[in-house]
Amino acid sequence: LATGDPQAGAAWILDLAAVAPDPNAVLMAVVRAPWFPASVRGPVYEQIVTRLQDRLRSTEALAREYAEQDLRLWQLRYARHLVELKQFDQAAALLDTLPRQEQPSSDELELRWRIAAARNDFDAVLEQYRALPEKAPQPATLRQAALGLQRAGLRREARKILEFVFTQE
């Protein structure tokens, strides 16, 4: 804000972080700071994800599991940021790069549903669950993701998911 140009300020912070002993610690703190404009957080998230991907390549054994979890967490945070900015195509592309898990997290489901709702594809997603209920996520995960939809103001979609869960149970 002091620069008068949020883009220039974000670039300056990226430059400062690059010379810090732990650049990601700086970036992770800044990207969540309330004073840092949401409109310029994208490059910071990209830098965090890139650094975590680099760290993952050089990690082995148990540390690799933690690095994978950390990377996934930040990818989801970045996707949530993009969804909140209504950059649904970018968010969907980011989510599509995530390694497939047997059971997606409630955060990932919520983000995918918010994107589907914005694209008017939500009912198609729900139809897939109805057609193959054995492939649908666990009821607890569905309920948790539906609560996220409610908090995001997508009450109609949340109700449909909860109705599906109720019917299945």
Side-chain angles (χ1 to χ4, degrees):
L1 294 175
T3 65
D5 177 9
Q7 295 288 350
W12 180 67
I13 292 212
L14 288 171
D15 289 343
L16 284 177
V19 296
D22 185 359
N24 257 7
V26 173
L27 295 172
M28 289 172 180
V30 167
V31 81
R32 293 183 286 190
W35 52 263
F36 195 69
S39 62
V40 295
R41 289 181 183 176
V44 177
Y45 275 113
E46 288 172 11
Q47 191 66 232
I48 292 168
V49 168
T50 299
R51 289 179 179 279
L52 290 173
Q53 288 168 333
D54 292 344
R55 189 177 82 189
L56 180 62
R57 285 186 203 91
S58 64
T59 312
E60 297 177 12
L62 186 58
R64 184 170 183 80
E65 271 185 55
Y66 289 118
E68 287 171 347
Q69 290 172 359
D70 206 22
L71 174 60
R72 188 176 197 90
L73 170 76
W74 280 96
Q75 287 171 317
L76 289 172
R77 285 181 179 171
Y78 183 24
R80 181 171 300 282
H81 168 73
L82 292 170
V83 165
E84 288 169 1
L85 292 178
K86 299 187 182 338
Q87 296 177 359
F88 300 112
D89 292 337
Q90 285 180 277
L94 177 60
L95 290 174
D96 289 342
T97 66
L98 296 177
R100 292 282 176 206
Q101 292 183 322
E102 195 171 311
Q103 285 294 316
S105 70
S106 60
D107 286 336
E108 183 180 343
L109 279 179
E110 175 201 340
L111 292 172
R112 289 187 185 277
W113 293 343
R114 288 176 67 179
I115 293 166
R119 293 176 168 174
N120 294 320
D121 292 336
F122 183 80
D123 289 333
V125 172
L126 194 54
E127 264 319 300
Q128 290 176 344
Y129 293 160
R130 288 186 181 124
L132 297 167
E134 66 278 359
K135 295 204 179 215
Q138 296 294 318
T141 305
L142 290 170
R143 279 192 293 273
Q144 189 70 26
L147 290 174
L149 287 180
Q150 284 180 335
R151 285 190 296 273
L154 298 169
R155 297 194 191 298
R156 182 180 68 85
E157 289 83 355
R159 188 184 73 246
K160 287 182 177 185
I161 292 294
L162 293 172
E163 286 172 358
F164 170 77
V165 171
F166 178 76
T167 302
Q168 293 305 305
E169 289 181 339

